[in-house]
Amino acid sequence: MFLSIIIPVYNMSKFLPDCLDSLLVQNIQVSDYEVICVNDGSTDNSDQIIQLYCSSHTTIRHISKPNGGVSSARNLGLEVAVGDWIWFVDADDFVQENILSELKGLATPEVDRILFPRYCFTDTLTASERSQKESGQIASNNPGRGIWCSLYRRSVITEHKIQFDVDIDYGEDIVWVCQFREYMHGTVSFEKVCYFYRMHSESAMQQNTLLSRRKRLKSYIKAGTTLYDIYKSQLIKKTDTADDVMFFLRMTMLEIAKLPIKEDRKRYIKEVRDKGLFPFAPLKEAKLKKAYVTNRTDFIGRTYNSLVMNSTKHFDFQMLSLWYRLYYMYKSLRTETESLL
């Protein structure tokens, strides 16, 4: 079998049919790929939707488990997968129809990873976007760093026992891909958009409660530490790994600066200092040089990044957080003012 597509499903009944429908309209034999839906303890009717599709399509496999998070769901999917290649797809996204034949043609023996671009959209595609998608002529608007934009050779995964860290709820995909890169050999790129990434208010990344911020921070710190350990172990330092480290350091500092409670900010900055992640000079191999808090290149952005990058262990992070909060207060007021004009 050519391909196993693994979909972790948790309360995605609103979007799941779009996802499954796109995977069923493909141009290879149904016996040559499988769609593994891992229901991760959904409390809506996601499980019933999977069962309904299974009753009509032998390509779809249904696994149900108690809720344990996306990492545990993907790990279970990997355990039962039989395809030579793996594609991770999220239940609220969908893929390009009739694309598997071309991807299969790229799966030569010397290749362990097939890369392709994605298209990001909010909630639903517009009529123009749908037309471009149906013609196969839609252009990527986001190269992406996620796990969804590749096929992975399963033998590399099984041979090296590459699993998702169940203690990382956000960014677990980037850590997994970094681990896969340590063992893979050849890579080939495909120019067509294959993956459609949906941004919506129900996404875990859009939750901004204090609890969700703390949960993200726990994941970001664990992910950053894991990636930095991989980077330090490399005899020949890799740009991709260095960029991943810098990306997570930026996301960590961003979340800390957003915390409304002073004691929280002090506790987390102490934790990243204790782990050697702050202060932190840019890794020379990284292309992402502006790793902390903002990607702005104007005076505010340059000053802000400089404050972080050149800080010592005695630097008062509260001043940095205040700078950040004042900047975003200004940004919000400016946006509201412009909306009234």
Side-chain angles (χ1 to χ4, degrees):
M1 181 182 287
F2 163 54
L3 180 65
S4 292
I5 300 166
I6 298 173
I7 308 175
V9 181
Y10 179 72
N11 290 351
M12 281 292 149
S13 59
K14 180 178 178 181
F15 305 110
L16 186 55
D18 284 347
C19 179
L20 295 178
D21 287 343
S22 71
L23 291 167
L24 292 170
V25 184
Q26 294 298 330
N27 50 7
I28 62 174
Q29 295 292 324
V30 294
S31 59
D32 209 16
Y33 75 107
E34 62 178 354
V35 178
I36 304 171
C37 295
V38 183
N39 176 38
D40 189 37
S42 295
T43 56
D44 64 359
N45 64 334
S46 294
D47 200 58
Q48 289 83 352
I49 292 173
I50 299 170
Q51 292 182 43
L52 180 63
Y53 274 80
C54 280
S55 66
S56 304
H57 304 280
T58 57
T59 304
I60 298 178
R61 297 174 60 186
H62 175 214
I63 301 174
S64 193
K65 60 180 283 295
N67 180 251
V70 64
S71 292
S72 66
R74 287 181 179 143
N75 285 338
L76 182 55
L78 284 172
E79 286 180 23
V80 303
V82 297
D84 294 332
W85 291 78
I86 298 292
W87 191 0
F88 297 103
V89 173
D90 281 355
D92 49 352
D93 303 329
F94 50 84
V95 309
Q96 178 66 48
E97 290 86 355
N98 295 315
I99 201 67
L100 292 187
S101 176
E102 291 178 84
L103 291 175
K104 185 178 180 181
L106 297 172
T108 55
E110 64 273 13
V111 170
D112 287 336
R113 185 184 183 189
I114 303 171
L115 289 141
F116 41 78
R118 68 177 176 175
Y119 186 85
C120 296
F121 66 99
T122 302
D123 294 324
T124 59
L125 293 177
T126 65
S128 174
E129 289 171 329
R130 283 197 302 272
S131 176
Q132 293 176 64
K133 175 179 176 291
E134 290 167 3
S135 67
Q137 300 301 312
I138 197 164
S140 174
N141 61 358
N142 189 310
R145 302 175 61 80
I147 200 168
W148 325 275
C149 300
S150 295
L151 301 191
Y152 307 90
R153 188 176 291 280
R154 188 168 65 90
S155 60
V156 176
I157 301 169
T158 55
E159 179 181 350
H160 298 285
K161 298 179 173 59
I162 305 171
Q163 288 194 317
F164 291 88
D165 189 331
V166 296
D167 292 326
I168 301 177
D169 297 303
Y170 300 90
E172 75 293 329
D173 54 329
I174 295 178
V175 175
W176 189 94
V177 171
C178 182
Q179 293 170 328
F180 183 88
R181 287 198 308 258
E182 289 299 287
Y183 302 106
M184 74 176 192
H185 294 99
T187 298
V188 65
S189 295
F190 185 52
E191 73 282 358
K192 290 185 180 180
V193 169
C194 297
Y195 196 86
F196 290 80
Y197 181 88
R198 190 194 309 262
M199 296 175 287
H200 57 91
S201 59
E202 296 172 41
S203 168
M205 289 302 295
Q206 302 302 319
Q207 304 304 312
N208 291 313
T209 65
L210 180 58
L211 182 62
S212 64
R213 289 198 187 284
R214 287 171 174 166
K215 191 174 182 180
R216 277 200 293 270
L217 266 171
K218 178 184 175 183
S219 292
Y220 290 161
I221 293 171
K222 177 73 181 294
T225 303
T226 301
L227 290 167
Y228 190 36
D229 287 342
I230 293 174
Y231 170 82
K232 289 187 292 186
S233 71
Q234 293 173 342
L235 295 178
I236 301 177
K237 308 302 184 188
K238 298 177 182 178
T239 294
D240 286 343
T241 307
D243 281 348
D244 287 340
V245 173
M246 300 305 285
F247 172 79
F248 270 104
L249 291 178
R250 176 182 178 271
M251 296 302 293
T252 299
M253 302 309 292
L254 177 66
E255 288 294 339
I256 292 176
K258 285 181 178 179
L259 289 171
I261 302 173
K262 179 179 180 180
E263 288 71 22
D264 267 0
R265 297 196 296 270
K266 291 177 68 174
R267 176 166 61 88
Y268 281 111
I269 199 63
K270 181 181 185 304
E271 183 176 349
V272 294
R273 275 180 174 153
D274 290 345
K275 292 182 180 296
L277 299 177
F278 179 83
F280 195 93
L283 301 174
K284 65 179 181 180
E285 295 83 8
K287 293 180 180 178
L288 301 178
K289 297 299 183 183
K290 294 179 176 61
Y292 289 116
V293 185
T294 177
N295 283 330
R296 288 173 63 102
T297 56
D298 59 8
F299 173 76
I300 291 177
R302 292 196 304 272
T303 304
Y304 202 5
N305 279 305
S306 178
L307 278 173
V308 181
M309 289 303 200
N310 296 308
S311 62
T312 69
K313 66 179 180 179
H314 303 296
F315 179 78
D316 185 0
F317 184 74
Q318 306 310 317
M319 291 297 294
L320 183 63
S321 181
L322 176 62
W323 182 294
Y324 173 88
R325 298 168 76 77
L326 288 173
Y327 160 62
Y328 271 89
M329 187 183 298
Y330 157 76
K331 184 178 179 181
S332 298
L333 288 172
R334 181 176 177 181
T335 301
E336 291 176 9
T337 302
E338 290 176 348
S339 68
L340 296 175
L341 297 179

